[in-house]
């Protein structure tokens, strides 16, 4: 940190200096300017302390503004508005009426509003030490990195404030899973689960893919979809919450898995592999249903047909929630499962004549013909499922969501 980074933004007397507004249409962003994006969900008890510590930490000459993106059901927005005039930097709150995408959705909305060179994302509960903000920006300037992550997993960092062995294990497992699935995109990021980082705005907006955040892991979303060219890290000690409780639930864990699947299946090839793996897993409910039905005395052929539907429903549910999550809105669910079921059963019917052709006309052996027919109908079914169940029907016809 250079010498002149030390004079903090002192709180100002609202009588003397009027609050600055966030919107400055036409003004070019100052070099090194930063927007602090802070997602809030019922954090009223943390606002004053957080802003006070930020004011003490941020150098006076640093052009910065604070943007809270709020989905609260309590009086957090009013608390922010009351506190805002006490500070020398602009403090704004964007309250969302429909909190799409949870924490990650809030951060992306904040990014959309920002016009500064840098964006810093941090939590409101003081688990992310405000005094590290200048350090993150300093590291970015020094190394030329597009993304600077505050990490608990490098020398000097720790997860002191992560409550209990269970949460530590979950956090570690999630980190390994993410790094295993995205070895290249997450190279150089020891803590992809961190919610505390600085990123050049250009690196976000220059990313090829559109952002589709789902829940808590916004850094993962940005690292995988925007692929920042250079990454740096700064160690940090994850603190105890200052006030209130964590908003993270078991449901957030499921969302994380769905988020990983959505990120991993962004390309058609990856989607086809996922489709195949889900199809294979469908043998389990299929065989279980077959066992159950034949034991109740049902004729085995009839049982085959019924049991096949158990596999179809299993596949449908997994494909819906993991592969085509963001493409469900184009059709009603009853329409989707109807089409999906027809395709899955047509697959069975098509296989028989195909095998006959492969054996009769091409002279293949029965096993080779069956394997070839399986692969052929699989590829056909994948293509047909994409085209007939999950493709947008007409541009602009679907609801956003
Ligand atoms: N706008 C908005 N909408 N904000 C939210 C929402 C939401 O749906 N859910 C949570 N937040 C805000 C909280 O108010 C808080 O400021 C911040 O997001 C983090 O939420 P916590 O509930 O405190 O999360 P945590 O402490 O369990 O998890 C944090 O640490 C994890 C590392 O273990 C987060 O930073 C995670 O992203 C991080 O992975
Ligand atoms: Mn927290």
């Amino acid at each position: 940190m250079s010498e002149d980074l030390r004079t903090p933004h002192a709180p100002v007397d609202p009588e003397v200096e009027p609050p600055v507004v966030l919107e400055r249409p036409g003004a070019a962003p100052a070099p090194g300017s930063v927007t602090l994006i802070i997602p809030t969900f019922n954090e009223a008890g943390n606002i004053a302390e957080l802003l006070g510590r930020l004011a003490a930490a941020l150098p006076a000459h640093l052009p910065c503004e604070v943007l809270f993106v709020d989905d609260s059901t309590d009086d957090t927005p009013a608390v922010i508005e009351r506190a805002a005039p006490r500070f020398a930097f602009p403090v704004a709150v964007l309250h969302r009426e429909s909190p799409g995408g949870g924490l990650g959705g809030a951060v992306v909305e904040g990014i959309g509003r920002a016009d500064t060179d840098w964006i810093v994302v941090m939590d409101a509960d003081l688990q992310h030490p405000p005094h590290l903000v200048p350090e993150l920006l300093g590291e970015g300037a020094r190394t030329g990195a597009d993304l600077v992550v505050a990490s608990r997993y490098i020398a000097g960092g720790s997860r002191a404030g992560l409550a209990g062995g269970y949460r530590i294990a979950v956090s570690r497992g999630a980190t390994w899973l993410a790094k295993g699935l995205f070895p290249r995109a997450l190279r150089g990021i020891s803590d992809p689960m961190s919610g505390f980082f600085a990123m050049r705005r250009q690196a976000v907006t220059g990313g090829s893919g559109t952002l589709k955040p789902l829940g808590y892991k916004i850094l993962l979303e940005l690292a995988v979809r925007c692929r920042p060219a250079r990454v740096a890290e700064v160690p940090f000690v994850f603190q105890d919450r200052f006030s209130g409780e964590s908003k993270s639930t078991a449901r957030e864990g499921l969302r994380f898995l769905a988020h990983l699947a959505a990120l991993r299946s962004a390309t058609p090839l990856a989607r086809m592999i996922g489709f195949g793996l889900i199809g294979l897993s469908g043998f389990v409910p299929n065989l279980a249903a077959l066992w159950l039905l034949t034991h109740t005395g049902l004729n085995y052929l009839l049982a085959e047909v019924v049991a096949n539907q158990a596999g179809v429903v299993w596949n449908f549910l997994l494909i819906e929630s993991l592969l085509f999550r963001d493409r469900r809105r184009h059709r009603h669910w009853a329409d989707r499962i109807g089409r999906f079921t027809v395709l899955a059963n047509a697959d069975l019917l098509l296989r028989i004549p195909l095998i006959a052709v492969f054996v009769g006309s091409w002279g293949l052996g029965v096993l080779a013909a069956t394997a070839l027919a399986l692969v052929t109908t699989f590829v056909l079914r994948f293509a047909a499922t994409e085209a007939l169940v999950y493709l947008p029907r007409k541009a602009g016809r679907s609801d956003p969501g």
Side-chain angles (χ1 to χ4, degrees):
M1 213 189 293
S2 65
E3 200 55 39
D4 55 338
L5 278 179
R6 299 245 171 92
T7 342
H9 266 282
V12 294
D13 184 342
E15 302 296 315
V16 181
E17 208 173 303
V20 195
V21 277
L22 186 68
E23 291 289 324
R24 289 163 309 175
S33 57
V34 55
T35 304
L36 287 148
I37 297 176
I38 308 177
T40 45
F41 186 82
N42 298 351
E43 302 288 3
N46 290 312
I47 302 302
E49 183 71 17
L50 173 68
L51 287 172
R53 286 204 217 165
L54 280 172
L58 296 166
H61 63 79
L62 178 71
C64 67
E65 42 201 60
V66 177
L67 174 58
F68 289 94
V69 188
D70 180 79
D71 295 329
S72 296
T73 51
D74 71 356
D75 62 342
T76 303
V79 170
I80 296 170
E81 267 157 16
R82 272 203 304 277
R86 283 194 278 128
F87 297 91
F89 43 79
V91 176
V93 54
L94 166 68
H95 179 75
R96 304 197 302 163
E97 285 310 328
S98 52
L103 196 169
V107 170
V108 168
E109 272 204 53
I111 292 174
R113 305 269 170 144
D115 66 351
T116 48
D117 291 340
W118 283 90
I119 281 157
V120 169
V121 177
M122 69 189 297
D123 293 351
D125 56 5
L126 292 148
Q127 292 196 282
H128 297 155
H131 70 83
L132 279 182
V133 172
E135 213 165 302
L136 290 176
L137 295 167
E139 187 68 9
R142 201 177 60 76
T143 60
D146 294 311
L147 169 67
V148 186
V149 178
S151 168
R152 297 162 289 181
Y153 301 131
I154 51 175
S158 98
R159 44 186 184 251
L162 204 56
Y166 167 74
R167 282 227 42 188
I168 290 175
V170 168
S171 175
R172 254 311 189 192
T175 304
W176 282 333
L177 185 60
K179 285 192 65 88
L181 283 170
F182 302 98
R184 257 175 305 158
L186 299 182
R187 182 175 301 152
I189 303 180
S190 62
D191 193 356
M193 304 298 126
S194 175
F196 190 17
F197 56 90
M199 194 160 171
R200 287 184 204 268
R201 194 169 61 90
Q202 217 182 0
V204 185
T205 47
S208 52
T210 10
L211 296 172
K212 294 172 191 162
L214 194 61
Y216 267 47
K217 307 307 175 190
I218 180 63
L219 172 59
L220 182 67
E221 172 80 14
L222 291 171
V224 171
R225 293 214 208 263
C226 303
R227 305 274 168 144
R230 293 184 69 179
V231 177
E233 289 194 319
V234 164
F236 91 107
V237 179
F238 195 67
Q239 304 291 321
D240 286 324
R241 231 179 196 278
F242 181 72
S243 158
E245 289 172 356
S246 169
K247 313 303 183 300
S248 173
T249 54
R251 187 164 175 260
E252 214 43 70
L254 289 178
R255 261 176 149 187
F256 167 62
L257 294 179
H259 189 196
L260 281 180
L263 284 173
R264 191 62 285 181
S265 57
T267 65
L269 178 66
R271 236 177 356 258
M272 191 156 89
I273 292 170
F275 193 80
L277 291 175
I278 290 173
L280 280 179
S281 76
F283 283 122
V284 176
N286 190 332
L287 292 177
L290 188 66
W291 181 85
L292 213 74
L293 291 169
T294 46
H295 275 72
T296 59
L298 196 69
N299 168 282
Y300 80 96
L301 281 180
L302 202 57
E304 292 278 2
V305 175
V306 178
N308 191 51
Q309 309 316 310
V312 169
V313 170
W314 167 274
N315 289 350
F316 177 75
L317 292 176
L318 285 182
I319 279 164
E320 284 264 299
S321 50
L322 298 180
L323 281 192
F324 293 108
R325 197 187 177 86
D326 55 337
R327 298 211 226 157
R328 294 185 299 203
R329 60 184 184 274
H330 309 305
R331 289 177 194 281
H332 189 261
W333 67 267
D335 186 7
R336 297 197 304 272
I337 196 165
R339 285 164 175 264
F340 189 88
T341 308
V342 168
L343 286 172
N345 287 289
D347 176 12
L348 278 182
L349 291 179
L350 182 64
R351 224 174 283 158
I352 305 300
L354 264 183
I355 292 171
V357 170
F358 291 158
V359 175
S361 317
W362 296 17
L364 289 183
V366 173
L367 270 186
T370 306
L372 188 59
L374 273 170
V375 173
T376 312
T377 55
F378 166 73
V379 174
L380 283 177
R381 182 152 68 92
F382 172 70
T385 302
E386 275 223 325
L388 301 177
V389 188
Y390 294 105
L391 210 64
R393 286 197 276 190
K394 250 186 231 157
R397 270 207 52 184
S398 53
D399 311 320

